[in-house]
Amino acid sequence: MLYLVHMVVDIPKDMPADEAAKLKEVEKNYSQDLQRDGRWSELWRVVGQYANYSVFDVDGNAELQEILSNLPLFPYMTITVTPLAPHPSRI
Amino acid sequence: MLYLVHMVVDIPKDMPADEAAKLKEVEKNYSQDLQRDGRWSELWRVVGQYANYSVFDVDGNAELQEILSNLPLFPYMTITVTPLAPHPSRI
Amino acid sequence: MLYLVHMVVDIPKDMPADEAAKLKEVEKNYSQDLQRDGRWSELWRVVGQYANYSVFDVDGNAELQEILSNLPLFPYMTITVTPLAPHPSRI
Amino acid sequence: MLYLVHMVVDIPKDMPADEAAKLKEVEKNYSQDLQRDGRWSELWRVVGQYANYSVFDVDGNAELQEILSNLPLFPYMTITVTPLAPHPSRI
Amino acid sequence: MLYLVHMVVDIPKDMPADEAAKLKEVEKNYSQDLQRDGRWSELWRVVGQYANYSVFDVDGNAELQEILSNLPLFPYMTITVTPLAPHPSRI
Amino acid sequence: MLYLVHMVVDIPKDMPADEAAKLKEVEKNYSQDLQRDGRWSELWRVVGQYANYSVFDVDGNAELQEILSNLPLFPYMTITVTPLAPHPSRI
Amino acid sequence: MLYLVHMVVDIPKDMPADEAAKLKEVEKNYSQDLQRDGRWSELWRVVGQYANYSVFDVDGNAELQEILSNLPLFPYMTITVTPLAPHPSRI
Amino acid sequence: MLYLVHMVVDIPKDMPADEAAKLKEVEKNYSQDLQRDGRWSELWRVVGQYANYSVFDVDGNAELQEILSNLPLFPYMTITVTPLAPHPSRI
Amino acid sequence: MLYLVHMVVDIPKDMPADEAAKLKEVEKNYSQDLQRDGRWSELWRVVGQYANYSVFDVDGNAELQEILSNLPLFPYMTITVTPLAPHPSRI
Amino acid sequence: MLYLVHMVVDIPKDMPADEAAKLKEVEKNYSQDLQRDGRWSELWRVVGQYANYSVFDVDGNAELQEILSNLPLFPYMTITVTPLAPHPSRI
């Protein structure tokens, strides 16, 4: 089941640089594990913004919530979730 | 080069049913031709709305404008275009 | 899997009264069938508006899209879908 | 009398972790007491957000205000209240 | 129990003048009956707009919905309802 | 002359508790003096929010500005003013 | 007493040209009478829009409502009223 | 003096095709005359929308208003004007 | 050439009182110099807000930008500029 | 390929003056290098705001993202990107 997810990141300006760097590293690993197992199926940068559009392929709402709420950057993100369905014109 | 495109369709309520049906058929064919040649690379229905999120893979802004402005339903659509770039955490 | 759905209805002012009445009757039957089989699990009127908040309990995005897009009043509705997950404080 | 309540939580980033943990624990107990006595009748997590949709079944506006303003996390919440009424199509 | 209600009226431009006049007359009578029995306790014009702010004093959500949905101008109104509670500084 | 005034209060989280308590006490006295002399004629809590809707009965814009800008909590408020006029259907 | 008033005009596209012309002529006369007696004290066109910003100098809310609601173009306008007060830095 | 101007065009769906075509032709000529004399200095299509961003180089507000209000498509446009000034980092 | 300018002031809560007082004094002097030479031709307080509407009469965009960007309170202001043109109904 | 880019700058009030000055100097150099090589083809100040509208002429989305994300002031900017295409009426 697919969801389009929009994530905007806003790390506090006063977070120490090394703490931020470490957090981003953990986030990257977390994301790549989910990409490898196929649940985080698309990940694009929005041009000009510290934001991404992602597509998740999961069992449903609960699994998506589990994944998103455990994002290391979750406390610093504004997330919007759009449930997707097959389009009748899709080949 | 990728773009996320959001299309909301609003066909006038007073359009004759057969005219609307024909228009949608032409739209479907137009869309499927572009899907086949790889430029309309993703197409999803937004749940609960007469709207879709699509991903286009084209040479650039001019080609995308050419494609979108020739959509048979273009006069009845509200379209938003988000330019995408590779994400550094993408595997 | 639960979804909160907000539906705002806007029937064209120039629709003949009997056509509107019939449409609402069909809508009511459609809704009650889904309430009886448990998929349309909650349905409340928003005070002062021709709108409702509903909860749907379905298999996922595709089933919800199937249900909503077949609402007899769908062409006259503005629908917003919010995916829900279990809350950790829920008893 | 039913109300749909939307709560978005935004705990300051600089609150000490143990203070935040304790606050959430008190909030949880407060919520569960109200769930047990039937006044906080539904509680769902909004997927991807530190937010919930809840349904309260109370005597009226004053009681709801009493409950909400005493939420331990109230100072950190943005709350929206929607009064609900029985829907004529509800079975 | 008090509610602040905001009503914006938008009568279609193509409604015949006498039909509109009659509708407004019925609306006025309906409103004045409710003012007389104390349930429509305040009614003010918003300066420069075909809109009003009103206060209703009713038993609860269901009674308010009953009153508002039966407004003769209801199909032409955009209504917003704000539940009110006693203010601790009120003398 | 009547005005509907909407006040949303947002006291900084880092204000010492006793300073906040004192400020609210001064605010309360200020408000009650104006209620007693009839200029602050209505005061309601908005359910679920640290906000109120008030009605002021004053000589005009200048007096209202004098009153509002001297609110002890003014620096922490977002205020919206709506000028009111007699409604032709008011009994 | 001064008010800043923003008026956006939207005359229906299907109004016959001579009816529209006549309406605008009546509006112009109405406006100029009020300018001559000093109550419509400023009138500026917003560049690029069929809209104006105006300043009215009247006795209060009721008189302003009387003036605005009798604008010949009132049914086709969206009007916003901002009450003004003397500024402490004004010389 | 430069202004950035955003124009969104919305031609009524029921305008006869030849009338619309003629109107667009007149608009094109009007625009190209102004481009040739240097006052309409930039003109770009917004990708995916019947809209443009333009830059005008004119003597000031009054001349810009004269130009924009005489656009043949002006009655069908939503226009936003942003005054521009030299940027201190401009080479 | 006239411009309507809306300024909302938001001085940080943690600025020392004497620093804020001094800043406002400098701002006042700066404003009054411009009022005296005729370029800051109108200045009104928005009732209930730490905001003003002003009219500037300057040579054009560049001069307005020069004036506004040098406001002592500029770093703490949100400013909106609306270019004005003579209104055809102005006497 | 052209893009219109809107940048709003919001440097934290508590950044030391010399740090801010240095950051702006680096930003200026970065911008001027890109102006000289033709990729940052237009740069205008928005009157009354710490903001600019710019036009970039680059190979595509990825290059634009590379440029924008490396702006020295990027962490303090809110950026909006609008893809542009040739306009059919452009001479």
Side-chain angles (χ1 to χ4, degrees):
Chain A
M1 195 175 314
L2 301 179
Y3 298 84
L4 182 70
V5 178
H6 183 230
M7 305 181 197
V8 182
V9 186
D10 183 18
I11 294 178
K13 303 291 182 289
D14 58 0
M15 182 185 285
D18 58 344
E19 183 183 337
K22 187 174 174 185
L23 195 57
K24 291 179 193 177
E25 185 62 25
V26 180
E27 173 84 16
K28 188 175 183 173
N29 292 338
Y30 180 87
S31 166
Q32 294 190 337
D33 286 348
L34 286 159
Q35 291 179 57
R36 279 190 205 96
D37 73 18
R39 289 184 291 172
W40 194 325
S41 58
E42 299 285 359
L43 171 59
W44 303 290
R45 172 66 77 212
V46 177
V47 175
Q49 301 179 4
Y50 192 1
N52 71 69
Y53 269 106
S54 292
V55 177
F56 285 85
D57 185 355
V58 294
D59 279 347
N61 296 346
E63 187 179 14
L64 183 60
Q65 166 64 7
E66 178 71 17
I67 288 173
L68 295 178
S69 64
N70 285 304
L71 283 163
L73 287 173
F74 181 77
Y76 311 112
M77 282 179 168
T78 302
I79 293 180
T80 313
V81 173
T82 304
L84 302 174
H87 194 285
S89 297
R90 190 69 172 107
I91 57 172
Chain B
M1 193 174 315
L2 301 179
Y3 298 84
L4 181 70
V5 178
H6 183 230
M7 306 179 197
V8 182
V9 186
D10 184 17
I11 294 179
K13 303 289 182 291
D14 58 359
M15 183 185 284
D18 57 344
E19 184 183 335
K22 187 175 174 185
L23 195 57
K24 291 179 192 176
E25 184 62 25
V26 180
E27 174 84 16
K28 188 175 184 173
N29 292 336
Y30 180 86
S31 166
Q32 295 190 335
D33 286 346
L34 286 159
Q35 291 179 58
R36 282 191 204 94
D37 73 20
R39 290 184 289 173
W40 194 326
S41 57
E42 298 285 359
L43 170 60
W44 303 291
R45 173 66 78 212
V46 177
V47 174
Q49 301 179 4
Y50 192 1
N52 70 71
Y53 269 107
S54 292
V55 177
F56 286 85
D57 185 353
V58 294
D59 280 346
N61 296 346
E63 187 179 12
L64 183 61
Q65 166 63 8
E66 179 72 17
I67 288 172
L68 296 177
S69 63
N70 284 304
L71 284 163
L73 287 173
F74 180 78
Y76 311 112
M77 282 179 168
T78 301
I79 294 180
T80 312
V81 173
T82 304
L84 301 174
H87 194 286
S89 297
R90 189 71 172 106
I91 57 172
Chain C
M1 193 174 314
L2 301 179
Y3 298 83
L4 181 69
V5 178
H6 183 230
M7 306 181 197
V8 182
V9 186
D10 184 18
I11 294 179
K13 304 289 181 290
D14 58 359
M15 183 185 286
D18 58 343
E19 184 183 336
K22 187 175 174 186
L23 195 57
K24 291 178 193 177
E25 185 62 25
V26 180
E27 174 83 16
K28 188 174 185 173
N29 292 337
Y30 180 87
S31 166
Q32 296 190 335
D33 286 347
L34 287 159
Q35 290 179 59
R36 281 190 205 94
D37 73 19
R39 289 183 291 173
W40 194 326
S41 58
E42 298 285 358
L43 170 59
W44 304 291
R45 173 65 78 212
V46 176
V47 175
Q49 300 179 4
Y50 192 1
N52 70 69
Y53 270 106
S54 292
V55 178
F56 285 85
D57 186 353
V58 293
D59 281 346
N61 296 346
E63 187 179 12
L64 183 60
Q65 165 63 7
E66 178 71 17
I67 288 172
L68 295 177
S69 63
N70 284 304
L71 284 163
L73 287 173
F74 181 77
Y76 311 111
M77 283 180 167
T78 301
I79 294 179
T80 312
V81 173
T82 303
L84 302 173
H87 193 285
S89 297
R90 191 70 173 108
I91 57 172
Chain D
M1 193 174 315
L2 302 179
Y3 298 84
L4 181 69
V5 178
H6 183 231
M7 307 181 196
V8 182
V9 186
D10 183 18
I11 294 179
K13 303 290 182 288
D14 58 359
M15 183 184 285
D18 57 343
E19 183 184 338
K22 187 175 175 185
L23 195 57
K24 291 179 193 177
E25 186 61 25
V26 180
E27 173 83 17
K28 189 174 184 173
N29 291 338
Y30 181 87
S31 166
Q32 294 190 337
D33 285 347
L34 287 159
Q35 291 179 57
R36 280 189 206 96
D37 74 18
R39 290 183 291 172
W40 194 325
S41 57
E42 297 286 359
L43 170 60
W44 305 289
R45 173 65 77 212
V46 177
V47 175
Q49 302 179 3
Y50 192 1
N52 71 69
Y53 268 106
S54 292
V55 177
F56 286 85
D57 185 354
V58 294
D59 280 347
N61 296 345
E63 187 179 14
L64 183 60
Q65 166 63 8
E66 178 71 19
I67 289 172
L68 295 178
S69 64
N70 285 304
L71 284 163
L73 287 173
F74 181 77
Y76 312 111
M77 282 180 168
T78 301
I79 294 180
T80 311
V81 174
T82 304
L84 301 174
H87 194 286
S89 297
R90 190 70 173 106
I91 57 173
Chain E
M1 193 174 315
L2 302 179
Y3 298 84
L4 181 69
V5 178
H6 183 231
M7 306 180 197
V8 182
V9 186
D10 183 19
I11 294 179
K13 304 289 182 287
D14 58 359
M15 183 184 285
D18 58 343
E19 184 183 336
K22 188 173 175 186
L23 195 57
K24 291 178 192 177
E25 186 62 25
V26 180
E27 174 83 18
K28 187 176 185 173
N29 292 337
Y30 180 87
S31 165
Q32 295 191 335
D33 286 347
L34 286 159
Q35 291 179 57
R36 281 190 205 95
D37 73 19
R39 290 183 290 172
W40 193 326
S41 58
E42 299 285 359
L43 170 59
W44 304 290
R45 173 65 79 211
V46 177
V47 175
Q49 300 179 3
Y50 192 1
N52 71 70
Y53 269 106
S54 293
V55 177
F56 285 85
D57 185 355
V58 294
D59 280 347
N61 296 346
E63 187 179 13
L64 183 60
Q65 165 63 7
E66 178 71 18
I67 289 173
L68 295 178
S69 64
N70 284 304
L71 284 163
L73 287 174
F74 180 77
Y76 311 111
M77 283 180 167
T78 301
I79 294 179
T80 313
V81 173
T82 305
L84 301 173
H87 193 285
S89 297
R90 190 71 173 107
I91 58 172
Chain F
M1 193 174 315
L2 302 179
Y3 298 84
L4 181 70
V5 178
H6 183 231
M7 306 181 198
V8 182
V9 186
D10 183 18
I11 294 180
K13 304 289 181 290
D14 58 359
M15 183 184 285
D18 58 344
E19 184 184 336
K22 187 175 174 187
L23 194 57
K24 291 179 193 176
E25 185 62 24
V26 180
E27 174 83 17
K28 188 174 185 174
N29 291 338
Y30 180 87
S31 166
Q32 294 189 336
D33 286 347
L34 287 159
Q35 290 179 57
R36 282 191 204 94
D37 72 19
R39 290 184 290 173
W40 193 326
S41 56
E42 298 286 358
L43 171 60
W44 304 290
R45 173 66 77 213
V46 177
V47 175
Q49 301 179 3
Y50 192 1
N52 70 71
Y53 269 107
S54 292
V55 178
F56 285 85
D57 185 353
V58 294
D59 280 347
N61 296 347
E63 187 179 12
L64 183 60
Q65 165 64 8
E66 179 70 18
I67 289 172
L68 296 178
S69 64
N70 285 303
L71 284 163
L73 286 174
F74 181 77
Y76 312 110
M77 282 179 168
T78 300
I79 294 180
T80 312
V81 173
T82 304
L84 301 174
H87 194 286
S89 297
R90 189 72 173 105
I91 57 171
Chain G
M1 193 174 316
L2 301 180
Y3 299 84
L4 181 69
V5 178
H6 184 231
M7 305 180 197
V8 182
V9 186
D10 183 18
I11 294 178
K13 302 292 181 288
D14 59 359
M15 183 185 285
D18 58 343
E19 184 183 337
K22 187 174 175 185
L23 194 58
K24 291 179 193 177
E25 185 62 26
V26 180
E27 174 84 16
K28 188 176 184 174
N29 291 337
Y30 180 87
S31 166
Q32 295 191 336
D33 286 347
L34 287 159
Q35 291 179 57
R36 281 191 204 93
D37 73 19
R39 290 183 290 173
W40 194 326
S41 57
E42 298 285 359
L43 171 59
W44 304 289
R45 173 64 78 211
V46 177
V47 175
Q49 300 179 4
Y50 193 1
N52 71 69
Y53 269 107
S54 292
V55 177
F56 285 85
D57 185 355
V58 294
D59 280 347
N61 296 348
E63 187 180 13
L64 183 60
Q65 165 63 8
E66 178 71 17
I67 288 173
L68 295 178
S69 64
N70 285 303
L71 285 163
L73 287 173
F74 181 78
Y76 311 111
M77 283 179 166
T78 302
I79 293 180
T80 313
V81 173
T82 305
L84 301 174
H87 194 285
S89 297
R90 189 71 173 106
I91 57 172
Chain H
M1 193 174 313
L2 301 180
Y3 298 84
L4 182 69
V5 178
H6 184 230
M7 305 180 198
V8 182
V9 186
D10 183 18
I11 294 179
K13 302 291 181 290
D14 58 359
M15 183 184 286
D18 58 344
E19 184 183 336
K22 188 174 173 185
L23 195 57
K24 291 178 193 178
E25 185 62 25
V26 180
E27 174 83 17
K28 188 176 185 173
N29 291 337
Y30 180 86
S31 166
Q32 295 191 334
D33 286 347
L34 286 159
Q35 290 179 58
R36 281 190 204 96
D37 74 19
R39 291 183 290 173
W40 195 326
S41 58
E42 298 285 359
L43 170 59
W44 304 290
R45 173 65 78 213
V46 177
V47 174
Q49 301 178 5
Y50 192 1
N52 70 70
Y53 269 106
S54 292
V55 178
F56 285 85
D57 186 354
V58 295
D59 280 347
N61 296 347
E63 187 179 12
L64 183 60
Q65 165 64 7
E66 178 72 17
I67 288 172
L68 295 178
S69 63
N70 285 303
L71 284 164
L73 287 173
F74 180 77
Y76 310 112
M77 283 180 167
T78 301
I79 294 180
T80 313
V81 173
T82 305
L84 301 174
H87 193 287
S89 297
R90 189 70 172 107
I91 56 172
Chain I
M1 193 174 314
L2 301 178
Y3 298 84
L4 182 70
V5 178
H6 183 231
M7 305 180 199
V8 182
V9 186
D10 184 17
I11 294 178
K13 302 291 182 288
D14 58 359
M15 183 185 286
D18 57 344
E19 183 183 336
K22 187 175 174 185
L23 195 57
K24 291 179 192 176
E25 185 62 25
V26 180
E27 174 83 16
K28 188 175 184 173
N29 291 338
Y30 180 87
S31 167
Q32 294 190 336
D33 286 347
L34 286 160
Q35 290 179 59
R36 282 190 203 95
D37 74 18
R39 290 183 290 174
W40 194 325
S41 58
E42 298 286 359
L43 171 59
W44 303 291
R45 173 65 77 213
V46 176
V47 175
Q49 301 180 3
Y50 193 2
N52 70 70
Y53 268 106
S54 293
V55 178
F56 286 85
D57 185 353
V58 293
D59 279 347
N61 296 347
E63 187 179 13
L64 183 60
Q65 165 64 7
E66 178 71 18
I67 288 172
L68 296 177
S69 64
N70 285 303
L71 284 163
L73 287 173
F74 181 77
Y76 311 111
M77 282 178 166
T78 301
I79 295 180
T80 313
V81 173
T82 304
L84 302 174
H87 193 285
S89 297
R90 189 68 172 108
I91 58 171
Chain J
M1 194 175 312
L2 302 178
Y3 297 84
L4 182 69
V5 178
H6 183 231
M7 305 180 197
V8 182
V9 186
D10 184 18
I11 294 178
K13 301 292 182 288
D14 58 359
M15 183 185 286
D18 57 343
E19 184 183 337
K22 187 174 175 185
L23 195 56
K24 291 179 192 177
E25 185 61 25
V26 179
E27 174 83 16
K28 187 175 184 174
N29 291 337
Y30 180 87
S31 166
Q32 294 191 335
D33 286 348
L34 287 160
Q35 291 179 58
R36 281 191 204 95
D37 74 17
R39 289 183 290 173
W40 195 325
S41 58
E42 298 285 359
L43 171 59
W44 303 290
R45 172 66 76 213
V46 177
V47 175
Q49 301 179 4
Y50 192 2
N52 71 69
Y53 268 107
S54 293
V55 177
F56 286 85
D57 185 354
V58 294
D59 280 348
N61 296 347
E63 187 180 12
L64 184 60
Q65 165 64 7
E66 178 72 18
I67 289 173
L68 295 177
S69 63
N70 285 303
L71 284 163
L73 287 173
F74 181 77
Y76 311 111
M77 283 180 167
T78 302
I79 294 180
T80 313
V81 173
T82 304
L84 302 174
H87 193 285
S89 297
R90 190 69 173 108
I91 57 172

